[in-house]
Amino acid sequence: MTSEFKPRDQANRERLVTELEASFFVEAGAGTGKTTVLVNRIAGLIKTGTASIEDIAAITFTEAAAVELRNRVRGILEQAAYAPEVTAADKNRCLEAVRGLEYASIQTLHSFAKSLLQERPLEAGLPPNFEVVDEIEADILFEERWQQWLDDVTESGETAEAMRDALRLGLKLD
């Protein structure tokens, strides 16, 4: 006889999915079911009308995780819309959310921060038309600034002496 596995924290998982008016912070390791719980919570928020898809912010660290999360949300909402027990109102909310999924903030931390800064650049002390550089450009800019800093430090009498002392002690420039 086999019994179905239940995690020790099953009660907490159920709270995350059912207590839709509460806010939670969830921290857990890889492969523990965070994404599944989050997808079910988002579906519950939409299905019950507690939130619309535009109200959702689900932030991940990687682009791959954001794509997976968005796809899983789409899948569960489509599944929920056509479940036999679903009401017409719930079905409409789910299908409307699927159509508006592009407006949900299901994205990486960096993308989310960029969208906030673009929405309110002046409040953040940025020019309205600021641009975010990509990783390669950032590396190039950093290398240019690093070289300029090294040149400035080694040409200044006081800092040049300190730099020589540091290098003599075995410190490396990198």
Side-chain angles (χ1 to χ4, degrees):
M1 175 181 220
T2 61
S3 62
E4 188 176 321
F5 171 75
K6 277 196 170 187
R8 288 187 313 190
D9 64 349
Q10 186 61 36
N12 289 333
R13 293 170 188 250
E14 289 171 11
R15 284 186 60 216
L16 291 168
V17 174
T18 59
E19 292 181 25
L20 301 176
E21 299 293 333
S23 294
F24 295 97
F25 174 83
V26 178
E27 182 178 21
T32 57
K34 293 181 305 293
T35 302
T36 298
V37 168
L38 183 57
V39 166
N40 289 326
R41 181 173 175 82
I42 291 170
L45 288 165
I46 300 298
K47 189 174 158 186
T48 62
T50 304
S52 66
I53 197 67
E54 297 87 5
D55 298 328
I56 302 296
I59 311 303
T60 66
F61 286 105
T62 67
E63 202 59 52
V67 169
E68 178 190 355
L69 182 56
R70 185 174 294 272
N71 288 337
R72 287 177 64 179
V73 166
R74 179 186 321 283
I76 199 165
L77 288 172
E78 288 172 344
Q79 184 181 16
Y82 295 105
E85 72 281 356
V86 74
T87 67
D90 292 350
K91 177 178 182 174
N92 287 338
R93 281 191 288 270
C94 289
L95 292 177
E96 186 177 317
V98 169
R99 287 189 296 273
L101 198 55
E102 66 193 62
Y103 301 110
S105 291
I106 300 175
Q107 58 200 81
T108 65
L109 180 60
H110 293 96
S111 296
F112 183 70
K114 177 184 171 189
S115 67
L116 289 176
L117 292 172
Q118 286 176 328
E119 186 178 300
R120 295 193 175 13
L122 298 178
E123 291 89 337
L126 296 170
N129 59 347
F130 81 94
E131 293 182 24
V132 177
V133 297
D134 65 24
E135 189 174 345
I136 293 170
E137 190 176 358
D139 288 345
I140 291 169
L141 290 170
F142 175 81
E143 191 59 37
E144 288 173 356
R145 288 183 178 131
W146 173 248
Q147 287 303 319
Q148 182 61 51
W149 181 83
L150 282 177
D151 291 345
D152 292 347
V153 166
T154 55
E155 290 173 7
S156 169
E158 186 178 307
T159 54
E161 184 64 32
M163 182 67 79
R164 279 193 293 278
D165 290 344
L167 293 172
R168 270 190 233 114
L169 290 170
L171 297 175
K172 305 279 187 229
L173 289 178
D174 59 346

